[in-house]
Each structure stands twice: as C-alpha cells, then as structure tokens.
Amino acid sequence: MRDEAAKRVELVFSLFDANGNGVLDSGDFDLMTGRVLEAAAASDDGAKDAIRAAFRRYWTTLATELDANGDGVISVEEFRPFVLDPDRFGPTVAEFAEALSALGDPDGDGLIERPLFVSLMTAIGFEEANIHALFDAFGPDADDRITVDTWAAGIKDYYAPDKAGIPGDRLVAAHAV
C-alpha cells in the first residue's frame, strides 16, 4: 500500500468514527448518514434513499468482513488492510461513490456546485480548506461546478491502494484556501 493510501485510510477511519469512541460501529454510520442527509435537504427522496443504502452497505460490509469476534465494532487495525482491498471492498465503494455524487446534484443537470459539495464534505467531517483544495483539483468549470462523474471517480480513486498524486490526496494535508 502506498503511503498516500495509508494516510487516506487513517483519515477515513477517523471520520467514520463519528461518535469518537475509537472504533467503528453501526451508530457511527447512523450519525454520518443523518449529517449528510441534513446537508442534502434539496435532494430528492431517491437520492436520499440511495445514500442511506450506501452507508448501510458500507457498515454491513465492514461488519461482515471484519468483525470476526462478533463484538459489533471494527478497530482501526481491522479496518486498515480491508478498506483498500478492491476485491473485497470495491463494490461497496462504487455504490457509495455513485450515491454521494448523485446527492450533490439535486437538480439532475450532471453538475455539482461548490457550495453543496462543501456542505456534503463538511457533513462527512473533512476540513473546509482541504475540501476547497479537492474541488479545485477536480477542475471546476467557469461557473465553479464539477461533474457528478468526476466526483464519483475521485471517490473511487481515493480508496485505491496503488494511487498517489490524486485529487483526493488533498483531503489528508492542510491546504490554504
């Protein structure tokens, strides 16, 4: 695993530990889902249902694959090797990427405006300066929008263990706005 990917994994774990108890459990995903849905108030019910299902699948996949002792929690040690395994986690990441990026396009024009992107990423827990750096790295158009497909691909790349120098790497380092 590349060093950049390892840093991305650590950040994802810390963000998904929404209740801050040091492990991942189903309650973390409920909290995260609620925060994201609150930021996506303008999205339609189909998009909201899709992100709920994606978060639920994310947790179910982790619990099924990693909770060998059945205690209902996932430690960072259990999480690290699994989340960047495309064979084991790729379909879950793809579903999440498609659902989150679609949530950012409530008017269905295929474009995501910066303010909603920032709101959704802030709801997940990323630092605002890093969110803006990521959006800029996606190459927004003259109206400060990116495509849904660009964001979905960026999410998938974020979970790739062999990728470095990707836009998502901007989420793990401090950046000035």
Side-chain angles (χ1 to χ4, degrees):
M1 174 186 326
R2 296 185 65 101
D3 185 52
E4 295 88 342
K7 289 177 183 175
R8 294 190 304 259
V9 168
E10 297 297 321
L11 179 58
V12 167
F13 185 88
S14 72
L15 297 176
F16 280 149
D17 182 14
N19 64 16
N21 67 352
V23 295
L24 302 183
D25 57 50
S26 63
D28 290 315
F29 288 83
D30 294 339
L31 287 169
M32 179 77 65
T33 301
R35 291 193 314 235
V36 169
L37 288 173
E38 187 176 319
S43 295
D44 66 32
D45 289 342
K48 290 176 183 177
D49 290 345
I51 198 65
R52 276 188 202 95
F55 274 119
R56 191 170 29 256
R57 179 174 181 183
Y58 204 124
W59 169 247
T60 300
T61 302
L62 290 176
T64 301
E65 292 283 334
L66 301 179
D67 190 13
N69 65 1
D71 65 356
V73 300
I74 307 298
S75 70
V76 70
E77 292 79 20
E78 293 170 313
F79 185 78
R80 277 186 195 117
F82 171 75
V83 76
L84 293 181
D85 182 339
D87 293 331
R88 295 173 73 193
F89 201 61
T92 299
V93 168
E95 179 182 345
F96 180 76
E98 299 300 324
L100 184 60
S101 59
L103 200 64
D105 182 23
D107 61 6
D109 66 355
L111 298 168
I112 300 166
E113 290 78 20
R114 185 184 299 258
L116 183 52
F117 180 86
V118 171
S119 293
L120 291 169
M121 294 294 281
T122 300
I124 291 172
F126 292 103
E127 296 292 327
E128 187 169 345
N130 295 356
I131 296 167
H132 285 286
L134 173 62
F135 194 85
D136 291 340
F138 283 148
D141 67 15
D143 293 322
D144 209 25
R145 304 171 303 184
I146 60 169
T147 67
V148 170
D149 291 341
T150 296
W151 193 13
I155 294 168
K156 293 171 191 170
D157 284 349
Y158 190 88
Y159 287 90
D162 58 340
K163 301 252 179 164
I166 61 170
D169 286 336
R170 286 154 182 83
L171 293 172
V172 297
H175 289 276
V177 177

